[in-house]
Amino acid sequence: MAAPLDLDQLQTFISISDTGSFTRAADEVHRTQSAVSMQMRRLEERIGKPLFEKDGRSNRLTADGERLLAYARRLIHLNRETLAAFDDRALEGSMRIGIPDDYADRFLPEIMARFSRSNPRVELTVICEPTPGLVDNLKRGNLDLAIVTHDDAAALSEVVRREPLLWVSSANHATHEEEVLPMAFGRPTCVWRRSACEVLSRMKRDYRVLFSSYSATVITAAVLSGLAVSVLPECALRPGMRVLGEADGFGALPDCRIGIIRGHAGRADIVDAIARHISDSLDNISVPLAEETGSFDIAPFTSAVRGRKARPGQVAQGW
């Protein structure tokens, strides 16, 4: 039987991928650079494939390295989860987390399942609000941690995932062809709304805001019913939506960046544990979509925006 992979080597491999440097990874895993290099030589020998290639002064993953990275992250996470399940000193207490409902449907099941399996004695309270409301709740001590849409102007959050922000319309209506474009947005404080309005202004495209709501359900309903066009991250696409692009007359939007903000009211050990679980979960969740010709699963979409993106004209038919 083949010898199992070494978890220490895999952890070092992940650190090199995340930092882009053997030297910085050595600091993270508390080893010398020569020891890190030896670990990676042994890992490459064990896998039987080259895992790194030089990119200037940095070390870039090969295609086989990218393949191994996804498995390595899962193995390290499963190792942590297994140890936590048998730890008599497991975390106990309560945790209040916040998340916008744009993200809740797609991300919460994975986050809650992973965290609860490892920490069954921690009670989770989840609040769904737009990012500005979550930030206010954190400041007032009403939340211990929030998953938010990162805003450069505020620069409060640690970015843990990136996704393309997309123009979306109904697949069954020609709403995007109307002379004055009807739009459905979040409230004026919404980062996506600001980005979309800036692009529309540069395009010199006439538009009017027909629907404005904090609720992702309202925005989705307006799009699917053919009443308005909107902008959504790829994770929020729903069956019956069409992605619009340059061929439809729509300019590129900046990426949606999803971040974590930690509060100061809760126990630091529990906050750190769930922040780690959230980061791991969002790094491994893929975004399933469907082409007009049939269903397919998009390649894993990690925090580094790896994998294939939704294409303009593509219709989301199923999950």
Side-chain angles (χ1 to χ4, degrees), residues 14-224:
I14 292 170
S15 295
I16 295 170
S17 171
D18 289 345
T19 62
S21 163
F22 276 55
T23 303
R24 289 193 291 272
D27 291 337
E28 282 199 357
V29 300
H30 307 293
R31 294 178 182 271
T32 64
Q33 186 173 344
S34 59
V36 165
S37 298
M38 178 61 72
Q39 279 190 308
M40 293 305 97
R41 280 198 296 273
R42 288 175 177 169
L43 182 59
E44 288 182 324
E45 290 170 1
R46 181 68 190 84
I47 295 295
K49 306 281 186 181
L51 302 175
F52 299 96
E53 57 189 6
K54 277 291 185 182
D55 183 12
R57 294 186 177 182
S58 299
N59 291 279
R60 187 163 59 89
L61 293 181
T62 62
D64 288 313
E66 291 281 0
R67 287 176 58 204
L68 178 61
L69 183 62
Y71 289 109
R73 292 191 192 280
R74 286 157 59 188
L75 286 167
I76 293 298
H77 179 81
L78 184 59
N79 179 65
R80 289 178 186 156
E81 190 174 292
T82 302
L83 292 173
F86 291 92
D87 186 0
D88 292 333
R89 298 168 294 120
L91 295 176
E92 294 186 52
S94 60
M95 179 73 182
R96 303 162 300 171
I97 67 173
I99 183 170
D101 58 356
D102 310 86
Y103 306 145
D105 286 349
R106 184 72 190 113
F107 299 143
L108 266 186
E110 176 76 6
I111 291 168
M112 293 173 71
R114 281 175 176 256
F115 185 76
S116 295
R117 281 196 300 266
S118 299
N119 303 278
R121 301 175 191 172
V122 176
E123 176 188 353
L124 286 181
T125 299
V126 181
I127 296 174
C128 287
E129 279 193 30
T131 292
L134 296 177
V135 172
D136 287 343
N137 272 305
L138 281 164
K139 290 177 179 177
R140 292 198 298 266
N142 296 331
L143 287 174
D144 302 309
L145 181 143
I147 301 168
V148 300
T149 301
H150 180 80
D151 184 355
D152 279 335
L156 296 172
S157 64
E158 170 197 352
V159 176
V160 294
R161 183 180 174 94
R162 293 172 183 265
E163 291 193 0
L165 186 62
L166 304 167
W167 298 101
V168 292
S169 183
S170 167
N172 302 312
H173 302 81
T175 316
H176 62 287
E177 296 177 358
E178 294 186 21
E179 186 175 350
V180 178
L181 193 66
M183 299 299 305
F185 285 137
R187 301 300 286 271
T189 53
C190 175
V191 174
W192 303 340
R193 175 173 177 158
R194 294 203 307 265
S195 296
C197 290
E198 288 171 4
V199 174
L200 288 170
S201 296
R202 289 199 299 269
M203 291 163 46
K204 296 182 169 47
R205 181 70 186 268
D206 290 333
Y207 70 94
R208 61 192 175 102
V209 179
L210 192 60
F211 296 97
S212 182
S213 176
Y214 277 148
S215 170
T217 302
V218 172
I219 302 302
T220 298
V223 171
L224 291 176

Side-chain angles (χ1 to χ4, degrees), residues 254-277:
D255 280 345
C256 165
R257 288 174 292 172
I258 301 170
I260 293 175
I261 306 179
R262 304 167 191 240
H264 304 288
R267 281 178 47 186
D269 53 350
I270 300 180
V271 172
D272 287 344
I274 196 164
R276 195 164 53 244
H277 277 267

